């Protein structure tokens, strides 16, 4: 029995766009969607499109969103730059380095200490407001940074496009020596309560733990998004197999045939009330009461082998 509530929004019932690239929630409770048409604000009943009017952004295709610590949202624009929207006005982020016409922003994250980590097609940046000596702008070490996460110990992890997996420690980048990851696009990262790092790539799901990288899905599937929820459960957004849940060494999958909006998941987010929001290439899905066991293990997929 499926013990959850599933609700979908598409163009047919009010959603003003098709594909949802990214999802976050601002402090005032609004849900924000990043789309190819700019920002979309959702109050639970109505969607409102908010075009990005910041010149430095140079476009509308929002690749990543993050809730700002002082309210509002931060965003990264595909083939453009970074910006902030406080609910009324747009503004630039950081210094002039983040407004270069050659920049193509990929991802943005607010760390626990309030500093900003930003990825772009040539590298990354770490911006600490009012502390230029602690800020870093690097286009030589990591290559294109396309995903970020922070574990409970405050360590920041960076996933790249065909340059491998890195973390930041003691003022420098450290690369995880793994030949397979170095050839992959690392689309998504998530850290669990054991400080294991989950790595979503074009070649499936991997886990870095105890100094080793293991492939977890025993078949090749693109993993575009990852989320560890408040209960410690790992959710896996795939391209073609829908939404996966990984618990106790086993996968369960929710697909379009089961009520999901699409089998092609592009983004995941857990809101303040514990609902799971699933962005797809064909709309938006909300799963509530996900604290209950909601799937049967129909796929029977367990862990793969180490490489």
């Amino acid at each position: 029995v499926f013990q959850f509530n599933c609700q979908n929004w598409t163009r047919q019932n009010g959603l003003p766009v098709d594909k949802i690239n990214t999802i976050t929630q601002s402090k005032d409770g609004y849900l924000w969607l990043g789309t190819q048409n700019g920002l979309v604000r959702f109050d639970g009943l109505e969607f409102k499109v908010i075009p990005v009017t910041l010149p430095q952004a140079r476009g509308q295709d929002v690749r990543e969103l993050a809730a700002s610590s002082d309210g509002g949202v931060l965003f990264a624009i595909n083939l453009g730059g970074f910006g902030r929207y406080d609910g009324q006005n747009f503004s630039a982020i950081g210094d002039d380095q983040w407004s270069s016409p050659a920049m193509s922003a990929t991802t943005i994250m607010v760390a626990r200490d309030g500093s900003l980590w930003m990825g772009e097609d040539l590298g990354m940046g770490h911006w600490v407001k009012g502390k230029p000596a602690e800020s870093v702008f690097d286009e030589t070490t990591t290559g294109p940074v396309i995903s970020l996460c922070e574990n409970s110990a405050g360590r920041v992890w960076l996933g790249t496009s065909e340059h491998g997996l890195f973390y930041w420690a003691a003022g420098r980048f450290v690369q995880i020596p793994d030949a397979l990851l170095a050839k992959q696009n690392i689309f998504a990262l998530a850290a669990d309560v054991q400080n294991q790092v989950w790595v979503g790539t074009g070649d499936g799901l991997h886990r870095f733990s105890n100094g080793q990288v293991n492939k977890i899905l025993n078949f090749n599937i693109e993993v575009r998004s990852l989320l560890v929820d408040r209960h410690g459960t790992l959710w896996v957004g795939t391209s073609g197999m829908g939404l996966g849940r990984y618990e106790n060494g086993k996968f369960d999958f929710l697909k379009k045939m089961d009520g999901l909006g699409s089998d092609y998941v592009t983004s995941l987010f857990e809101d303040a009330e514990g609902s799971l929001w699933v962005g797809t290439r064909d709309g938006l899905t909300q799963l509530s009461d996900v604290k209950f066991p909601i799937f049967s293990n129909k796929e029977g997929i367990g862990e793969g082998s180490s490489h």
Side-chain angles (χ1 to χ4, degrees), residues 32 37-41 48-53 60 85 87 90:
W32 293 85
N37 298 326
L39 300 173
V40 175
R41 190 183 71 185
K48 180 181 179 181
V49 178
I50 302 175
V52 178
T53 58
Q60 297 293 323
Y85 182 64
F90 286 93

Side-chain angles (χ1 to χ4, degrees), residues 21-160:
N21 296 328
T22 175
I23 308 169
T24 194
Q25 186 176 31
S26 52
K27 284 188 173 182
D28 55 13
Y30 285 113
L31 198 73
W32 293 85
L33 314 176
T35 78
Q36 68 271 25
N37 298 326
L39 300 173
V40 175
R41 190 183 71 185
F42 185 44
D43 62 6
L45 296 174
E46 295 180 340
F47 296 92
K48 180 181 179 181
V49 178
I50 302 175
V52 178
T53 58
L54 183 68
Q56 296 94 326
R58 303 188 309 280
Q60 297 293 323
D61 188 7
V62 179
R63 289 179 71 165
E64 190 68 76
L65 286 172
S68 174
S69 57
D70 57 358
V73 292
L74 309 170
F75 55 84
I77 297 284
N78 185 33
L79 301 178
F82 299 86
R84 174 187 286 109
Y85 182 64
D86 64 6
Q88 294 184 330
N89 301 297
F90 286 93
S91 58
I93 291 177
D95 56 31
D96 292 340
Q97 293 179 109
W98 296 104
S99 301
S100 167
M103 180 174 292
S104 180
T106 55
T107 187
I108 187 166
M109 181 186 76
V110 181
R112 287 178 174 82
D113 62 6
S115 64
L116 300 185
W117 290 83
M118 295 173 272
E120 50 109 358
D121 276 358
L122 298 177
M124 57 70 60
H126 178 213
W127 185 64
V128 185
K129 185 177 182 180
K131 297 181 179 180
E134 296 181 23
S135 298
V136 178
F137 185 83
D138 188 301
E139 291 185 332
T140 62
T141 306
T142 64
V145 173
I146 58 176
S147 55
L148 294 161
C149 81
E150 182 182 14
N151 67 15
S152 60
R155 172 166 287 178
V156 172
W157 292 82
L158 305 92
T160 73

Side-chain angles (χ1 to χ4, degrees), residues 155-168:
R155 172 166 287 178
V156 172
W157 292 82
L158 305 92
T160 73
S161 176
E162 299 181 351
H163 283 70
L165 176 66
F166 294 78
Y167 66 87
W168 176 259

Side-chain angles (χ1 to χ4, degrees), residues 197-212:
V197 178
W198 297 88
V199 185
T201 76
D203 185 41
L205 178 67
H206 307 258
R207 178 180 61 197
F208 177 73
S209 179
N210 297 321
Q212 290 187 327

